[in-house]
Coordinates of all heavy atoms in Angstrom, one line a residue:
M1 N 9.4 -58.3 -14.3 CA 8.1 -57.8 -14.7 C 8.2 -57.8 -16.3 O 9.2 -57.4 -16.9 CB 7.9 -56.4 -14.2 CG 6.6 -55.8 -14.7 SD 5.9 -54.4 -13.8 CE 7.4 -53.3 -13.9
A2 N 7.0 -58.1 -16.9 CA 7.0 -58.0 -18.4 C 7.2 -56.6 -18.9 O 6.8 -55.7 -18.1 CB 5.6 -58.6 -18.8
E3 N 7.5 -56.5 -20.1 CA 7.8 -55.1 -20.7 C 6.6 -54.8 -21.7 O 6.2 -55.6 -22.5 CB 9.0 -55.1 -21.4 CG 9.3 -53.8 -22.2 CD 10.5 -54.0 -23.1 OE1 11.3 -55.0 -23.0 OE2 10.7 -53.1 -23.9
I4 N 6.0 -53.6 -21.6 CA 5.0 -53.2 -22.5 C 5.6 -52.1 -23.5 O 6.2 -51.2 -23.0 CB 3.7 -52.5 -21.9 CG1 3.1 -53.6 -20.9 CG2 2.8 -52.1 -22.9 CD1 1.9 -53.0 -20.2
K5 N 5.3 -52.3 -24.8 CA 5.9 -51.4 -25.7 C 4.9 -51.2 -26.9 O 4.1 -52.0 -27.2 CB 7.3 -51.8 -26.3 CG 7.2 -53.1 -27.1 CD 8.6 -53.6 -27.4 CE 9.3 -52.9 -28.4 NZ 10.6 -53.4 -28.9
T6 N 5.0 -49.9 -27.4 CA 4.2 -49.6 -28.6 C 4.8 -50.3 -29.8 O 6.0 -50.1 -30.1 CB 4.1 -48.1 -28.8 OG1 3.5 -47.5 -27.6 CG2 3.3 -47.7 -30.0
V7 N 4.0 -51.0 -30.7 CA 4.5 -51.7 -31.8 C 3.8 -51.1 -33.1 O 2.6 -50.9 -33.0 CB 4.4 -53.2 -31.7 CG1 4.8 -53.9 -32.9 CG2 5.0 -53.6 -30.4
D8 N 4.5 -51.0 -34.1 CA 4.0 -50.5 -35.4 C 4.6 -51.3 -36.5 O 5.4 -52.2 -36.3 CB 4.2 -49.0 -35.5 CG 5.6 -48.6 -35.5 OD1 6.5 -49.3 -35.8 OD2 5.9 -47.3 -35.3
E9 N 4.2 -50.8 -37.7 CA 4.7 -51.6 -38.9 C 6.2 -51.6 -39.0 O 6.8 -52.5 -39.5 CB 4.0 -51.1 -40.2 CG 2.5 -51.3 -40.1 CD 1.7 -50.7 -41.2 OE1 2.3 -49.8 -42.0 OE2 0.5 -50.9 -41.3
K10 N 6.9 -50.5 -38.5 CA 8.3 -50.5 -38.6 C 9.0 -51.4 -37.7 O 10.1 -51.9 -38.0 CB 8.8 -49.0 -38.3 CG 8.2 -48.0 -39.3 CD 8.6 -46.6 -38.9 CE 8.0 -45.6 -39.8 NZ 8.0 -44.2 -39.3
N11 N 8.5 -51.7 -36.5 CA 9.2 -52.5 -35.5 C 8.6 -53.8 -35.2 O 9.1 -54.5 -34.3 CB 9.6 -51.7 -34.2 CG 8.3 -51.3 -33.5 OD1 7.2 -51.6 -33.9 ND2 8.5 -50.8 -32.3
F12 N 7.5 -54.1 -35.9 CA 6.8 -55.3 -35.6 C 7.6 -56.7 -35.8 O 7.7 -57.4 -34.9 CB 5.5 -55.4 -36.4 CG 4.7 -56.6 -36.1 CD1 3.7 -56.5 -35.1 CD2 4.7 -57.9 -36.7 CE1 2.8 -57.6 -34.7 CE2 4.0 -58.9 -36.3 CZ 3.1 -58.8 -35.3
A13 N 8.2 -56.8 -37.0 CA 9.0 -58.0 -37.3 C 10.2 -58.1 -36.2 O 10.4 -59.2 -35.8 CB 9.6 -57.9 -38.6
S14 N 10.8 -57.1 -35.9 CA 12.0 -57.2 -34.9 C 11.5 -57.5 -33.5 O 12.2 -58.1 -32.8 CB 12.8 -56.0 -35.0 OG 12.1 -54.8 -34.5
T15 N 10.3 -56.9 -33.2 CA 9.7 -57.2 -31.9 C 9.4 -58.7 -31.6 O 9.7 -59.2 -30.6 CB 8.5 -56.3 -31.6 OG1 8.8 -54.9 -31.7 CG2 7.9 -56.6 -30.3
I16 N 8.8 -59.3 -32.7 CA 8.3 -60.7 -32.5 C 9.4 -61.7 -32.9 O 9.2 -62.9 -32.7 CB 7.0 -61.0 -33.3 CG1 7.2 -60.9 -34.8 CG2 5.9 -60.0 -32.9 CD1 6.2 -61.5 -35.7
A17 N 10.5 -61.3 -33.4 CA 11.5 -62.2 -34.0 C 12.1 -63.2 -33.0 O 12.3 -64.4 -33.4 CB 12.7 -61.4 -34.6
S18 N 12.3 -62.8 -31.7 CA 12.8 -63.8 -30.8 C 12.1 -63.6 -29.4 O 11.7 -62.5 -29.1 CB 14.3 -63.7 -30.7 OG 14.7 -62.5 -30.2
G19 N 12.1 -64.7 -28.8 CA 11.5 -64.7 -27.4 C 10.0 -64.8 -27.4 O 9.4 -65.1 -28.5
N20 N 9.4 -64.5 -26.3 CA 8.0 -64.6 -26.1 C 7.3 -63.2 -26.1 O 7.7 -62.4 -25.4 CB 7.6 -65.2 -24.7 CG 8.3 -66.6 -24.6 OD1 8.1 -67.5 -25.4 ND2 8.9 -66.8 -23.5
V21 N 6.3 -63.0 -27.1 CA 5.8 -61.7 -27.3 C 4.2 -61.9 -27.4 O 3.7 -62.7 -28.2 CB 6.3 -61.1 -28.6 CG1 5.7 -59.7 -28.8 CG2 7.8 -61.1 -28.6
L22 N 3.5 -61.1 -26.6 CA 2.1 -61.1 -26.7 C 1.7 -59.7 -27.3 O 2.0 -58.7 -26.8 CB 1.4 -61.1 -25.3 CG -0.1 -61.0 -25.3 CD1 -0.7 -62.3 -25.9 CD2 -0.5 -60.8 -23.8
I23 N 1.1 -59.8 -28.5 CA 0.7 -58.6 -29.2 C -0.8 -58.3 -29.0 O -1.7 -59.2 -29.3 CB 1.0 -58.7 -30.7 CG1 2.5 -58.9 -31.0 CG2 0.5 -57.5 -31.5 CD1 3.3 -57.7 -30.7
D24 N -1.1 -57.2 -28.6 CA -2.5 -56.7 -28.4 C -2.8 -55.8 -29.5 O -2.4 -54.6 -29.6 CB -2.5 -55.9 -27.0 CG -4.0 -55.4 -26.8 OD1 -4.9 -55.7 -27.5 OD2 -4.0 -54.6 -25.8
F25 N -3.7 -56.3 -30.5 CA -4.3 -55.5 -31.6 C -5.4 -54.8 -31.0 O -6.5 -55.4 -30.6 CB -4.6 -56.3 -32.8 CG -3.4 -56.8 -33.5 CD1 -2.8 -58.0 -33.1 CD2 -2.8 -56.1 -34.5 CE1 -1.7 -58.6 -33.8 CE2 -1.7 -56.6 -35.2 CZ -1.2 -57.9 -34.9
W26 N -5.5 -53.5 -31.0 CA -6.5 -52.6 -30.4 C -6.8 -51.4 -31.1 O -6.1 -51.1 -32.1 CB -6.1 -52.3 -28.9 CG -5.0 -51.3 -28.9 CD1 -3.7 -51.5 -29.2 CD2 -5.2 -49.9 -28.7 NE1 -3.0 -50.4 -29.1 CE2 -3.8 -49.4 -28.7 CE3 -6.2 -49.1 -28.4 CZ2 -3.6 -48.0 -28.6 CZ3 -5.9 -47.7 -28.1 CH2 -4.7 -47.2 -28.2
A27 N -7.8 -50.7 -30.8 CA -8.2 -49.4 -31.3 C -8.8 -48.5 -30.2 O -9.4 -49.0 -29.3 CB -9.2 -49.5 -32.4
P28 N -8.5 -47.2 -30.2 CA -8.9 -46.3 -29.1 C -10.4 -46.3 -28.9 O -10.9 -46.0 -27.8 CB -8.3 -45.0 -29.5 CG -7.6 -45.1 -30.7 CD -7.6 -46.5 -31.2
W29 N -11.2 -46.4 -30.0 CA -12.7 -46.3 -29.9 C -13.3 -47.7 -29.4 O -14.5 -47.7 -29.2 CB -13.2 -46.0 -31.3 CG -12.6 -46.8 -32.4 CD1 -11.6 -46.5 -33.2 CD2 -13.0 -48.1 -32.8 NE1 -11.3 -47.5 -34.1 CE2 -12.1 -48.6 -33.8 CE3 -14.0 -49.0 -32.3 CZ2 -12.3 -49.7 -34.5 CZ3 -14.0 -50.3 -33.0 CH2 -13.3 -50.6 -34.0
C30 N -12.5 -48.7 -29.2 CA -13.0 -50.0 -28.9 C -13.1 -50.3 -27.4 O -12.1 -50.3 -26.7 CB -12.1 -51.1 -29.5 SG -12.4 -52.8 -28.9
S31 N -14.4 -50.4 -26.9 CA -14.5 -50.5 -25.4 C -13.9 -51.8 -24.9 O -13.4 -51.8 -23.8 CB -16.0 -50.4 -25.1 OG -16.8 -51.4 -25.6
Y32 N -14.1 -52.9 -25.5 CA -13.5 -54.1 -25.1 C -12.0 -54.0 -25.1 O -11.4 -54.7 -24.3 CB -14.0 -55.3 -25.9 CG -15.4 -55.6 -25.7 CD1 -16.4 -55.4 -26.6 CD2 -15.8 -56.2 -24.4 CE1 -17.7 -55.7 -26.4 CE2 -17.1 -56.5 -24.2 CZ -18.1 -56.3 -25.2 OH -19.5 -56.6 -24.9
C33 N -11.4 -53.3 -26.0 CA -10.0 -53.1 -26.0 C -9.5 -52.3 -24.8 O -8.4 -52.7 -24.2 CB -9.5 -52.3 -27.3 SG -9.9 -53.1 -28.9
R34 N -10.2 -51.4 -24.4 CA -9.9 -50.7 -23.1 C -9.9 -51.6 -22.0 O -9.2 -51.6 -21.0 CB -10.8 -49.5 -22.9 CG -10.5 -48.4 -23.9 CD -11.2 -47.0 -23.6 NE -12.6 -47.1 -23.5 CZ -13.4 -47.0 -24.6 NH1 -12.9 -46.8 -25.8 NH2 -14.7 -47.0 -24.5
I35 N -11.0 -52.5 -21.9 CA -11.1 -53.5 -20.8 C -9.9 -54.5 -20.8 O -9.2 -54.7 -19.9 CB -12.3 -54.4 -21.0 CG1 -13.6 -53.5 -20.8 CG2 -12.4 -55.6 -20.1 CD1 -14.9 -54.1 -21.1
V36 N -9.5 -55.0 -22.0 CA -8.3 -55.8 -22.1 C -7.1 -55.1 -21.7 O -6.1 -55.6 -21.1 CB -8.2 -56.5 -23.5 CG1 -6.8 -57.2 -23.7 CG2 -9.3 -57.5 -23.7
G37 N -6.9 -53.8 -22.1 CA -5.9 -52.9 -21.6 C -5.7 -52.9 -20.2 O -4.6 -53.0 -19.6
T38 N -6.8 -52.7 -19.5 CA -6.9 -52.7 -18.1 C -6.5 -54.0 -17.4 O -5.7 -54.1 -16.5 CB -8.3 -52.3 -17.5 OG1 -8.6 -50.9 -18.1 CG2 -8.3 -52.3 -16.0
V39 N -6.9 -55.1 -18.1 CA -6.5 -56.4 -17.6 C -5.0 -56.7 -17.7 O -4.4 -57.2 -16.9 CB -7.3 -57.6 -18.4 CG1 -6.7 -58.9 -18.1 CG2 -8.8 -57.6 -18.1
I40 N -4.5 -56.2 -18.9 CA -3.0 -56.4 -19.0 C -2.3 -55.5 -18.0 O -1.4 -56.1 -17.3 CB -2.6 -55.9 -20.4 CG1 -3.1 -56.9 -21.5 CG2 -1.1 -55.7 -20.5 CD1 -2.9 -56.5 -22.9
D41 N -2.7 -54.3 -17.7 CA -2.1 -53.5 -16.7 C -2.2 -54.1 -15.4 O -1.2 -54.0 -14.6 CB -2.7 -52.0 -16.7 CG -2.5 -51.2 -17.9 OD1 -1.5 -51.6 -18.7 OD2 -3.1 -50.3 -18.2
Q42 N -3.2 -54.7 -15.0 CA -3.5 -55.2 -13.7 C -2.7 -56.6 -13.5 O -2.4 -57.0 -12.4 CB -5.0 -55.5 -13.4 CG -5.8 -54.4 -13.3 CD -7.3 -54.6 -13.1 OE1 -7.7 -55.7 -13.5 NE2 -8.1 -53.6 -12.7
S43 N -2.3 -57.2 -14.7 CA -1.7 -58.5 -14.6 C -0.1 -58.4 -14.8 O 0.5 -59.5 -14.6 CB -2.2 -59.4 -15.8 OG -3.6 -59.5 -15.7
I44 N 0.3 -57.3 -15.1 CA 1.8 -57.1 -15.5 C 2.7 -57.7 -14.5 O 3.7 -58.3 -14.8 CB 2.0 -55.7 -15.9 CG1 3.4 -55.5 -16.6 CG2 2.0 -54.7 -14.7 CD1 3.3 -55.9 -18.1
N45 N 2.4 -57.5 -13.3 CA 3.4 -57.9 -12.2 C 3.4 -59.4 -12.0 O 4.3 -59.9 -11.4 CB 3.1 -57.2 -10.8 CG 3.5 -55.7 -10.9 OD1 4.4 -55.3 -11.6 ND2 2.7 -54.9 -10.2
S46 N 2.4 -60.1 -12.5 CA 2.2 -61.5 -12.4 C 2.7 -62.2 -13.6 O 2.6 -63.5 -13.7 CB 0.8 -61.9 -12.0 OG 0.4 -61.2 -10.9
M47 N 3.1 -61.6 -14.7 CA 3.4 -62.1 -15.9 C 4.9 -62.6 -15.9 O 5.7 -62.0 -15.2 CB 3.1 -61.3 -17.1 CG 1.6 -61.0 -17.3 SD 1.4 -60.2 -18.9 CE -0.3 -59.9 -18.9
P48 N 5.3 -63.5 -16.8 CA 6.7 -63.9 -16.8 C 7.6 -62.8 -17.2 O 7.2 -61.9 -18.0 CB 6.7 -65.0 -17.9 CG 5.3 -65.5 -18.0 CD 4.4 -64.3 -17.6
E49 N 8.8 -62.7 -16.6 CA 9.7 -61.6 -16.9 C 10.2 -61.6 -18.3 O 10.6 -60.6 -18.8 CB 10.9 -61.7 -15.9 CG 10.5 -61.3 -14.5 CD 11.7 -61.4 -13.6 OE1 12.8 -61.1 -14.1 OE2 11.5 -61.5 -12.4
N50 N 10.2 -62.8 -18.9 CA 10.7 -62.9 -20.3 C 9.7 -62.6 -21.4 O 9.9 -62.7 -22.5 CB 11.3 -64.3 -20.6 CG 10.2 -65.3 -20.5 OD1 9.1 -65.2 -20.0 ND2 10.5 -66.5 -21.0
L51 N 8.5 -62.1 -20.9 CA 7.4 -61.7 -21.9 C 7.5 -60.2 -22.3 O 7.7 -59.4 -21.4 CB 6.1 -62.1 -21.3 CG 4.8 -61.7 -22.1 CD1 4.8 -62.6 -23.3 CD2 3.6 -61.8 -21.3
I52 N 7.4 -60.0 -23.6 CA 7.2 -58.7 -24.1 C 5.8 -58.5 -24.6 O 5.2 -59.4 -25.2 CB 8.2 -58.4 -25.3 CG1 9.6 -58.4 -24.8 CG2 7.9 -57.0 -25.9 CD1 10.6 -58.4 -26.0
I53 N 5.2 -57.4 -24.2 CA 3.8 -57.2 -24.6 C 3.8 -56.0 -25.5 O 4.3 -54.9 -25.2 CB 2.9 -56.8 -23.4 CG1 2.9 -58.0 -22.4 CG2 1.5 -56.5 -23.8 CD1 2.3 -57.7 -21.0
G54 N 3.4 -56.3 -26.7 CA 3.3 -55.1 -27.7 C 1.9 -54.7 -28.0 O 1.0 -55.6 -28.0
K55 N 1.6 -53.4 -28.1 CA 0.4 -52.9 -28.4 C 0.4 -52.3 -29.8 O 1.1 -51.4 -30.0 CB 0.0 -51.8 -27.3 CG 0.2 -52.3 -25.9 CD -0.9 -52.1 -24.9 CE -2.1 -51.5 -25.1 NZ -3.3 -52.3 -24.8
V56 N -0.5 -52.8 -30.6 CA -0.6 -52.3 -32.0 C -2.0 -51.6 -32.2 O -3.0 -52.3 -32.1 CB -0.5 -53.5 -33.0 CG1 -0.7 -52.9 -34.5 CG2 0.9 -54.1 -32.9
N57 N -1.9 -50.3 -32.5 CA -3.2 -49.5 -32.8 C -3.5 -49.9 -34.2 O -2.8 -49.5 -35.1 CB -2.9 -48.1 -32.5 CG -4.1 -47.2 -32.8 OD1 -5.0 -47.5 -33.7 ND2 -4.2 -46.1 -32.1
V58 N -4.6 -50.5 -34.5 CA -5.0 -51.0 -35.9 C -5.4 -49.8 -36.7 O -5.3 -49.9 -37.9 CB -6.1 -52.1 -35.9 CG1 -5.6 -53.3 -35.2 CG2 -7.4 -51.6 -35.2
D59 N -5.9 -48.7 -36.1 CA -6.2 -47.5 -36.9 C -4.9 -47.0 -37.5 O -5.0 -46.4 -38.7 CB -6.9 -46.4 -36.0 CG -8.3 -46.8 -35.6 OD1 -8.9 -47.7 -36.2 OD2 -8.8 -46.2 -34.6
D60 N -3.8 -47.1 -36.8 CA -2.6 -46.5 -37.3 C -1.7 -47.5 -38.1 O -0.8 -47.1 -38.8 CB -1.7 -45.9 -36.1 CG -2.4 -44.8 -35.4 OD1 -3.2 -44.1 -36.0 OD2 -2.0 -44.6 -34.2
N61 N -2.1 -48.7 -38.1 CA -1.3 -49.9 -38.7 C -2.3 -50.8 -39.4 O -2.2 -52.0 -39.1 CB -0.5 -50.5 -37.6 CG 0.5 -49.7 -36.9 OD1 1.5 -49.4 -37.4 ND2 0.1 -49.1 -35.7
A62 N -3.1 -50.3 -40.3 CA -4.1 -51.1 -41.0 C -3.5 -52.2 -41.8 O -4.0 -53.3 -41.9 CB -4.9 -50.2 -41.9
E63 N -2.3 -52.0 -42.5 CA -1.7 -53.0 -43.3 C -1.2 -54.2 -42.4 O -1.4 -55.4 -42.8 CB -0.6 -52.5 -44.1 CG -0.9 -51.5 -45.2 CD 0.2 -51.1 -46.0 OE1 1.3 -51.6 -46.0 OE2 0.1 -49.9 -46.6
L64 N -0.7 -53.9 -41.2 CA -0.3 -54.9 -40.3 C -1.5 -55.7 -39.8 O -1.4 -57.0 -39.7 CB 0.5 -54.3 -39.1 CG 1.2 -55.2 -38.2 CD1 2.2 -56.1 -38.8 CD2 1.9 -54.3 -37.1
A65 N -2.5 -55.0 -39.5 CA -3.8 -55.7 -39.0 C -4.3 -56.6 -40.1 O -4.7 -57.8 -39.9 CB -4.9 -54.7 -38.6
A66 N -4.3 -56.2 -41.5 CA -4.7 -57.0 -42.5 C -3.8 -58.2 -42.7 O -4.3 -59.3 -43.0 CB -4.9 -56.1 -43.8
K67 N -2.6 -58.0 -42.6 CA -1.5 -59.1 -42.8 C -1.9 -60.2 -41.8 O -1.7 -61.4 -42.1 CB -0.1 -58.6 -42.6 CG 0.9 -59.7 -42.7 CD 2.3 -59.1 -42.5 CE 3.3 -60.2 -42.7 NZ 4.7 -59.6 -42.5
Y68 N -2.3 -59.8 -40.6 CA -2.5 -60.9 -39.5 C -4.0 -61.2 -39.4 O -4.4 -61.9 -38.4 CB -1.9 -60.4 -38.2 CG -0.4 -60.7 -38.3 CD1 0.5 -59.8 -38.7 CD2 0.1 -61.9 -37.9 CE1 1.9 -60.0 -38.8 CE2 1.5 -62.2 -38.0 CZ 2.3 -61.2 -38.4 OH 3.7 -61.4 -38.5
N69 N -4.8 -60.8 -40.4 CA -6.2 -61.1 -40.5 C -7.0 -60.8 -39.2 O -7.7 -61.6 -38.6 CB -6.4 -62.6 -40.9 CG -7.7 -62.9 -41.3 OD1 -8.4 -62.1 -41.9 ND2 -8.2 -64.2 -41.1
I70 N -6.7 -59.6 -38.7 CA -7.4 -59.1 -37.5 C -8.8 -58.6 -37.9 O -8.9 -57.6 -38.6 CB -6.6 -58.0 -36.9 CG1 -5.2 -58.4 -36.5 CG2 -7.4 -57.4 -35.6 CD1 -5.0 -59.6 -35.7
T71 N -9.8 -59.4 -37.6 CA -11.2 -59.1 -38.1 C -12.1 -58.6 -36.9 O -13.2 -58.1 -37.1 CB -11.8 -60.3 -38.8 OG1 -11.8 -61.4 -37.9 CG2 -11.1 -60.6 -40.0
T72 N -11.6 -58.9 -35.7 CA -12.3 -58.5 -34.4 C -11.3 -57.9 -33.5 O -10.2 -58.3 -33.5 CB -13.1 -59.6 -33.8 OG1 -12.2 -60.6 -33.4 CG2 -14.1 -60.3 -34.6
L73 N -11.9 -57.0 -32.7 CA -11.0 -56.3 -31.7 C -11.6 -56.6 -30.3 O -12.8 -56.6 -30.1 CB -10.9 -54.8 -31.9 CG -10.2 -54.4 -33.1 CD1 -10.3 -52.9 -33.4 CD2 -8.8 -54.9 -33.1
P74 N -10.8 -56.7 -29.3 CA -9.3 -56.8 -29.5 C -8.9 -58.2 -29.9 O -9.7 -59.2 -29.7 CB -8.9 -56.7 -28.0 CG -10.0 -57.1 -27.1 CD -11.2 -56.8 -27.9
T75 N -7.8 -58.4 -30.4 CA -7.2 -59.7 -30.7 C -5.8 -59.7 -30.1 O -5.0 -58.8 -30.3 CB -7.0 -59.9 -32.3 OG1 -8.4 -59.9 -32.9 CG2 -6.3 -61.2 -32.6
L76 N -5.5 -60.7 -29.3 CA -4.2 -60.9 -28.7 C -3.6 -62.2 -29.4 O -4.3 -63.2 -29.5 CB -4.4 -61.3 -27.2 CG -5.1 -60.3 -26.3 CD1 -5.3 -60.9 -24.9 CD2 -4.2 -59.0 -26.3
I77 N -2.4 -62.0 -29.9 CA -1.7 -63.0 -30.5 C -0.4 -63.2 -29.7 O 0.4 -62.3 -29.5 CB -1.3 -62.7 -31.9 CG1 -2.6 -62.5 -32.8 CG2 -0.6 -64.0 -32.6 CD1 -2.3 -62.2 -34.3
L78 N -0.2 -64.5 -29.3 CA 1.0 -64.8 -28.6 C 2.1 -65.5 -29.7 O 1.7 -66.4 -30.3 CB 0.7 -65.9 -27.5 CG 1.9 -66.3 -26.7 CD1 2.5 -65.1 -25.8 CD2 1.4 -67.4 -25.6
F79 N 3.2 -64.9 -29.7 CA 4.3 -65.4 -30.6 C 5.4 -65.9 -29.8 O 5.8 -65.4 -28.7 CB 4.9 -64.2 -31.4 CG 3.9 -63.6 -32.4 CD1 3.1 -62.5 -32.1 CD2 3.9 -64.1 -33.7 CE1 2.2 -62.0 -33.0 CE2 3.0 -63.6 -34.7 CZ 2.2 -62.5 -34.3
K80 N 6.1 -67.0 -30.3 CA 7.3 -67.5 -29.8 C 8.3 -67.6 -30.9 O 8.1 -68.3 -31.9 CB 7.0 -68.9 -29.1 CG 8.3 -69.4 -28.4 CD 8.0 -70.7 -27.5 CE 9.2 -71.0 -26.8 NZ 9.1 -71.0 -25.4
D81 N 9.4 -66.9 -30.7 CA 10.5 -66.8 -31.7 C 9.9 -66.6 -33.1 O 10.3 -67.2 -34.1 CB 11.2 -68.2 -31.7 CG 12.0 -68.2 -30.4 OD1 12.3 -67.2 -29.7 OD2 12.2 -69.5 -29.9
G82 N 9.0 -65.6 -33.2 CA 8.4 -65.2 -34.5 C 7.3 -66.0 -35.1 O 6.7 -65.6 -36.1
K83 N 6.9 -67.0 -34.3 CA 5.8 -67.9 -34.9 C 4.6 -67.8 -33.9 O 4.7 -67.8 -32.7 CB 6.3 -69.4 -34.8 CG 5.3 -70.4 -35.3 CD 5.8 -71.8 -35.3 CE 4.7 -72.7 -35.8 NZ 5.0 -74.1 -35.8
E84 N 3.4 -67.6 -34.6 CA 2.2 -67.5 -33.8 C 1.9 -68.8 -33.2 O 1.9 -69.9 -33.8 CB 1.0 -67.1 -34.7 CG -0.3 -66.9 -34.0 CD -1.4 -66.6 -34.9 OE1 -1.2 -65.8 -35.9 OE2 -2.6 -66.8 -34.6
I85 N 1.6 -68.8 -31.8 CA 1.3 -70.0 -31.1 C -0.1 -70.0 -30.6 O -0.6 -71.1 -30.3 CB 2.3 -70.4 -30.0 CG1 2.4 -69.3 -28.9 CG2 3.7 -70.7 -30.6 CD1 3.3 -69.6 -27.8
S86 N -0.8 -68.9 -30.4 CA -2.2 -68.8 -30.0 C -2.7 -67.5 -30.3 O -2.0 -66.5 -30.4 CB -2.3 -69.2 -28.5 OG -1.7 -68.3 -27.7
R87 N -4.1 -67.4 -30.4 CA -4.8 -66.2 -30.7 C -6.1 -66.2 -29.7 O -6.7 -67.2 -29.6 CB -5.2 -66.3 -32.1 CG -5.8 -65.0 -32.7 CD -6.1 -65.1 -34.1 NE -4.9 -65.0 -34.9 CZ -4.8 -64.1 -36.0 NH1 -5.8 -63.4 -36.3 NH2 -3.7 -64.0 -36.6
H88 N -6.4 -65.0 -29.2 CA -7.4 -64.9 -28.2 C -8.1 -63.6 -28.4 O -7.6 -62.5 -29.0 CB -6.8 -64.9 -26.8 CG -6.0 -66.1 -26.6 ND1 -6.5 -67.3 -26.2 CD2 -4.6 -66.2 -26.7 CE1 -5.4 -68.2 -26.1 NE2 -4.3 -67.5 -26.5
G89 N -9.3 -63.5 -28.0 CA -10.2 -62.2 -27.9 C -10.1 -61.6 -26.6 O -9.1 -61.6 -25.9
T90 N -11.3 -61.1 -26.1 CA -11.3 -60.5 -24.8 C -11.1 -61.6 -23.7 O -11.6 -62.7 -23.8 CB -12.7 -59.9 -24.6 OG1 -13.0 -58.9 -25.7 CG2 -12.8 -59.2 -23.3
V91 N -10.2 -61.3 -22.8 CA -9.8 -62.3 -21.8 C -10.0 -61.6 -20.4 O -9.8 -60.4 -20.2 CB -8.4 -62.8 -22.0 CG1 -8.4 -63.6 -23.2 CG2 -7.4 -61.7 -22.0
S92 N -10.2 -62.4 -19.4 CA -10.1 -62.0 -18.0 C -8.6 -62.1 -17.6 O -7.8 -62.6 -18.2 CB -11.0 -62.9 -17.1 OG -10.3 -64.2 -17.0
K93 N -8.5 -61.6 -16.3 CA -7.1 -61.6 -15.8 C -6.6 -63.0 -15.6 O -5.6 -63.4 -16.0 CB -7.0 -60.9 -14.5 CG -5.7 -60.9 -13.8 CD -5.7 -60.0 -12.5 CE -4.2 -60.1 -11.9 NZ -4.2 -59.4 -10.6
A94 N -7.5 -63.9 -15.1 CA -7.2 -65.3 -14.9 C -6.9 -66.0 -16.2 O -5.9 -66.8 -16.3 CB -8.3 -66.1 -14.2
E95 N -7.7 -65.7 -17.3 CA -7.4 -66.4 -18.7 C -6.1 -65.9 -19.2 O -5.3 -66.6 -19.7 CB -8.5 -66.0 -19.5 CG -9.9 -66.7 -19.2 CD -11.0 -66.1 -20.1 OE1 -11.1 -64.8 -20.2 OE2 -11.7 -66.9 -20.7
L96 N -5.8 -64.6 -19.1 CA -4.6 -64.0 -19.5 C -3.3 -64.6 -18.9 O -2.4 -65.0 -19.5 CB -4.5 -62.5 -19.4 CG -3.3 -61.8 -19.9 CD1 -3.0 -62.0 -21.4 CD2 -3.4 -60.3 -19.5
L97 N -3.4 -64.8 -17.5 CA -2.3 -65.4 -16.8 C -2.1 -66.9 -17.1 O -1.0 -67.4 -17.2 CB -2.5 -65.2 -15.3 CG -2.4 -63.8 -14.9 CD1 -2.7 -63.6 -13.4 CD2 -1.0 -63.2 -15.2
R98 N -3.3 -67.5 -17.5 CA -3.1 -68.9 -17.9 C -2.5 -69.0 -19.3 O -1.6 -69.9 -19.6 CB -4.5 -69.6 -18.0 CG -4.5 -71.1 -18.4 CD -6.0 -71.6 -18.6 NE -6.8 -70.8 -19.4 CZ -6.7 -70.8 -20.8 NH1 -5.8 -71.4 -21.4 NH2 -7.6 -70.0 -21.5
I99 N -2.8 -68.1 -20.2 CA -2.3 -68.1 -21.5 C -0.7 -68.0 -21.5 O 0.0 -68.6 -22.3 CB -2.9 -66.9 -22.4 CG1 -4.4 -67.2 -22.7 CG2 -2.1 -66.7 -23.6 CD1 -5.2 -66.1 -23.1
V100 N -0.2 -67.1 -20.6 CA 1.2 -66.8 -20.5 C 2.0 -67.7 -19.5 O 3.1 -67.5 -19.3 CB 1.5 -65.4 -20.4 CG1 0.9 -64.5 -21.5 CG2 0.9 -64.9 -19.0
A101 N 1.2 -68.5 -18.8 CA 1.9 -69.2 -17.6 C 3.0 -70.1 -18.0 O 4.0 -70.2 -17.2 CB 0.7 -70.1 -16.9
D102 N 3.0 -70.8 -19.1 CA 4.0 -71.7 -19.4 C 5.2 -71.2 -20.2 O 6.1 -71.8 -20.8 CB 3.5 -72.9 -20.2 CG 2.5 -73.6 -19.4 OD1 2.7 -73.7 -18.1 OD2 1.5 -74.2 -19.9
L103 N 5.4 -69.9 -20.2 CA 6.4 -69.2 -21.0 C 7.7 -69.2 -20.2 O 7.8 -69.2 -19.1 CB 6.0 -67.8 -21.4 CG 4.8 -67.7 -22.3 CD1 4.5 -66.2 -22.6 CD2 5.0 -68.5 -23.6

């Protein structure tokens, strides 16, 4: 099962440095972010075991959000060994599983 962890400016670089990491940039006031959070929770058992899912609260990590040019919420960024390989907005469970299927 994939692992979900809270990510912030202190541990972001080390979190994405190696392996497959899906970062969810979200905010507590964002209704679509809550939807995507539910989609992630419902999909966790079907995701690759080698996937780490990081959740970044943009209200608490504004500099990190600015660094990655997060202009809409939610924004999901898939990293492989520290390199961004895809970026997505609101997704369904089927779309999310397709995004991570080849990891």
Side-chain angles (χ1 to χ4, degrees):
M1 178 166 57
E3 172 189 352
I4 298 177
K5 65 189 287 184
T6 300
V7 179
D8 58 23
E9 292 170 355
K10 295 176 187 168
N11 67 354
F12 187 87
S14 63
T15 300
I16 68 164
S18 65
N20 301 310
V21 182
L22 180 68
I23 299 291
D24 176 13
F25 287 90
W26 70 285
W29 47 263
C30 168
S31 60
Y32 288 109
C33 297
R34 290 192 298 275
I35 291 169
V36 168
T38 300
V39 167
I40 290 170
D41 291 342
Q42 292 174 346
S43 306
I44 196 78
N45 291 328
S46 301
M47 291 191 185
E49 289 184 23
N50 65 341
L51 179 66
I52 295 172
I53 300 166
K55 307 224 9 126
V56 175
N57 181 330
V58 297
D59 288 344
D60 297 337
N61 298 279
E63 289 181 25
L64 191 55
K67 178 179 178 179
Y68 283 90
N69 197 30
I70 305 302
T71 57
T72 59
L73 295 176
T75 296
L76 300 172
I77 302 179
L78 185 61
F79 292 90
K80 185 169 183 122
D81 298 327
K83 182 179 178 183
E84 180 178 332
I85 59 173
S86 65
R87 187 177 284 233
H88 310 273
T90 303
V91 294
S92 68
K93 181 178 178 180
E95 290 170 311
L96 180 59
L97 292 176
R98 182 187 51 76
I99 291 166
V100 300
D102 294 330
L103 299 177

